[in-house]
Amino acid sequence: MNVLVINSGSSSIKYQLLDMRTETVLCSGAVERIGEETGVLTHKAAPGTEREEKVTLSQPIADHEAGMHLVIDLIVHPERGVVKSLDEIEAIGHRIVQGGDIFNASCVVDDRVVDELTKLIPLGPVHNPGHLAGIRVARHLFPKVPQVTVFDTVFHQTMPPRAYMYALPYELYEELKVRRYGFHGTSHSYVSKEAARFLGKAPEETNLITVHLGNGSSMCAVQGGKSVDTSMGLTPLEGLIMGTRCGDADLAIYPLLGAEKGLSIAEINELTNKQSGFKGICGKNDMRDIHEAVAQGDARARLALDMFGYRNRKYIGSYLAVLGRVDAIVFTAGIGENDPVARELSCRGLEHLGIKLDPERNLAPERGARDISAPQSPVRVLVVPTNEELEIARQTAEVLAPGAKG
Ligand code: ADP
């Protein structure tokens, strides 16, 4: 089965077409700056192979439908296309950030799903409108192709109330569904299964702390293959220190900023989501730039890195307490997979808790799933590359398999 994975934002569509018989990527790309003066489409056919071919188009792209038309033209292009006709696209999987507590599994898209996603916009105001635009266009352009929504929140729906409730007036939960949802669920789910496989254990018998460190970062306590706690909350703002998000911070900062700086709620939201984290501390949000600045003696960049490591260690410590027995700490995503310094800072001083890195294994420039802990470390430390598109395509195929619950 060929599955087209779509991650549609308010002004972008990222996509990947996968052949699920071999789990290979036929093509991938992104349409960006939709609705702006000049839009950009970057497309890769047969990525990572000898036949890889890149195409970049710069032109106005009025809306999501115009963007998807450009993508389709490339997918079935007579010379560089990867399938002969659109009939060869047999399913579509949509990445959805916020599924609230309405969705506790991936499901087939129908009018009811679209209605529920629309109702969830207050809980996912940044992402869900863009996802809905993608679903609308995909249903219009591929009316006969079954489509599935795969949610970032679903993996965390197994959290117990003691982990997902905020100690706010209970009515806020009843009226507005104010609670922790957690995000990056597709990634935590994928790497936890891959890590269990790497360890030669069944997921049901494996306890893990999965550490997704990218532009956005989150940690998850995984007990027997299920999420029992995670660091992101009602929105992706809470938890770890990220590229531009502050993570955990006292809510009383809001009224202070309102009173002293005259900032509106929207401005404070923008400040905490887009101007904080690494960027807020040292002016840079890309981890590679931070390392470069540290090497040049930049004290703020050093501080940002120290804060990042400290926050990560605090979360690892608390999830050790949540889980009791832990088989492995699993690093993933852009920073987690590529940055030995970040991994070392996240594990530093935790030897007494059974976490011992092997400095050489940590530094080895390998790719793929690997063990970077010292042989005698009671808790293994792994690096497992994430692959959210593959997980979405797998779940899409699973939901549509004959006999599966839709
Ligand atoms: P997103 O959350 O947008 O998917 P990624 O998972 O791609 O983000 O992670 C982006 C982060 O990964 C950036 O901070 C980037 O600096 C960092 N990163 C990517 N490659 C490396 C590397 N080789 N060394 C250190 N950091 C890296």
Side-chain angles (χ1 to χ4, degrees):
M1 173 186 267
N2 291 334
V3 179
L4 178 63
V5 173
I6 294 179
N7 179 1
S8 176
S10 55
S11 62
S12 68
I13 306 169
K14 292 189 190 135
Y15 62 92
Q16 208 173 83
L17 180 62
L18 295 103
D19 178 347
M20 292 309 286
R21 284 163 301 189
T22 50
E23 295 199 333
T24 47
V25 179
L26 300 175
C27 66
S28 64
V31 187
E32 284 161 306
R33 300 197 212 145
I34 294 172
E36 292 182 26
E37 212 167 293
T38 317
V40 184
L41 166 64
T42 42
H43 177 85
K44 263 191 213 168
T49 71
E50 281 173 7
R51 294 181 298 114
E52 178 170 317
E53 191 176 353
K54 280 189 201 165
V55 181
T56 308
L57 294 177
S58 268
Q59 63 184 76
I61 301 170
D63 51 25
H64 286 68
E65 178 141 358
M68 269 316 286
H69 271 298
L70 293 175
V71 173
I72 288 171
D73 288 349
L74 285 168
I75 290 178
V76 296
H77 191 276
E79 282 119 48
R80 59 170 76 108
V82 291
V83 293
K84 289 201 183 64
S85 87
L86 286 186
D87 294 343
E88 291 179 46
I89 296 176
E90 294 158 275
I92 296 178
H94 292 273
R95 181 213 179 194
I96 308 292
V97 169
Q98 178 57 281
D101 59 5
I102 297 170
F103 295 102
N104 57 16
S106 302
C107 61
V108 176
V109 177
D110 57 17
D111 292 344
R112 184 195 66 87
V113 168
V114 171
D115 280 353
E116 297 291 4
L117 284 175
T118 309
K119 282 189 215 147
L120 283 169
I121 288 176
L123 294 178
V126 178
H127 295 101
N128 279 26
H131 298 330
L132 280 161
I135 291 175
R136 216 172 294 124
V137 168
R139 290 181 89 194
H140 181 217
L141 297 178
F142 298 90
K144 296 212 178 86
V145 178
Q147 311 203 11
V148 170
T149 41
V150 178
F151 302 88
D152 269 15
T153 42
V154 159
F155 185 59
H156 304 299
Q157 279 296 298
T158 46
M159 284 190 289
R162 63 173 176 270
Y164 71 66
M165 287 298 293
Y166 291 117
L168 293 166
Y170 194 79
E171 298 73 47
L172 292 180
Y173 169 63
E174 291 178 310
E175 284 166 30
L176 302 173
K177 298 279 184 178
V178 174
R179 52 159 280 184
R180 175 189 306 285
Y181 292 99
F183 299 89
H184 289 146
T186 314
S187 176
H188 290 295
S189 163
Y190 177 83
V191 298
S192 58
K193 284 183 278 189
E194 292 295 307
R197 195 195 340 224
F198 183 88
L199 294 169
K201 297 185 74 157
E204 302 73 38
E205 289 163 8
T206 313
N207 287 357
L208 302 164
I209 300 173
T210 49
V211 186
H212 179 115
L213 303 176
N215 280 319
S217 297
S218 67
M219 227 180 264
C220 183
V222 183
Q223 190 164 46
K226 296 195 163 114
S227 168
V228 292
D229 204 349
T230 192
S231 58
M232 283 177 166
L234 176 78
T235 76
L237 179 59
E238 198 179 339
L240 308 181
I241 296 173
M242 315 181 208
T244 62
R245 298 186 192 122
C246 59
D248 293 340
D250 188 340
L251 288 174
I253 293 169
Y254 270 60
L256 177 84
L257 292 181
E260 298 298 320
K261 305 274 286 179
L263 296 184
S264 67
I265 288 177
E267 285 167 332
I268 298 172
N269 201 33
E270 140 91 21
L271 180 136
T272 49
N273 275 287
K274 304 252 172 80
Q275 309 299 334
S276 299
F278 302 146
K279 188 176 179 197
I281 296 296
C282 71
K284 296 171 173 57
N285 62 292
D286 190 298
M287 189 50 106
R288 288 163 289 200
D289 296 340
I290 294 171
H291 286 309
E292 221 176 281
V294 169
Q296 286 165 8
D298 184 328
R300 291 279 196 88
R302 178 77 259 166
L303 174 64
L305 214 49
D306 282 351
M307 291 167 65
F308 166 79
Y310 181 70
R311 178 83 52 95
N312 291 350
R313 296 195 296 273
K314 279 212 302 196
Y315 265 94
I316 288 176
S318 66
Y319 288 171
L320 284 169
V322 166
L323 292 168
R325 191 202 88 229
V326 172
D327 296 290
I329 314 284
V330 186
F331 285 98
T332 196
I335 298 171
E337 290 167 32
N338 296 304
D339 189 341
V341 176
R343 293 192 296 256
E344 195 277 326
L345 281 171
S346 305
C347 296
R348 185 180 289 177
L350 302 184
E351 291 81 4
H352 66 292
L353 296 171
I355 299 165
K356 195 164 175 1
L357 273 187
D358 180 296
E360 267 175 44
R361 284 174 166 184
N362 184 33
L363 280 171
E366 284 175 40
R367 311 206 73 76
R370 56 199 188 271
D371 187 335
I372 57 168
S373 41
Q376 74 277 21
S377 179
V379 177
R380 310 314 303 162
V381 184
L382 309 180
V383 178
V384 176
T386 193
N387 192 337
E388 289 167 274
E389 291 79 11
L390 177 58
E391 178 69 15
I392 292 170
R394 279 181 181 167
Q395 291 194 23
T396 300
E398 241 169 64
V399 169
L400 297 174
K405 282 187 279 165

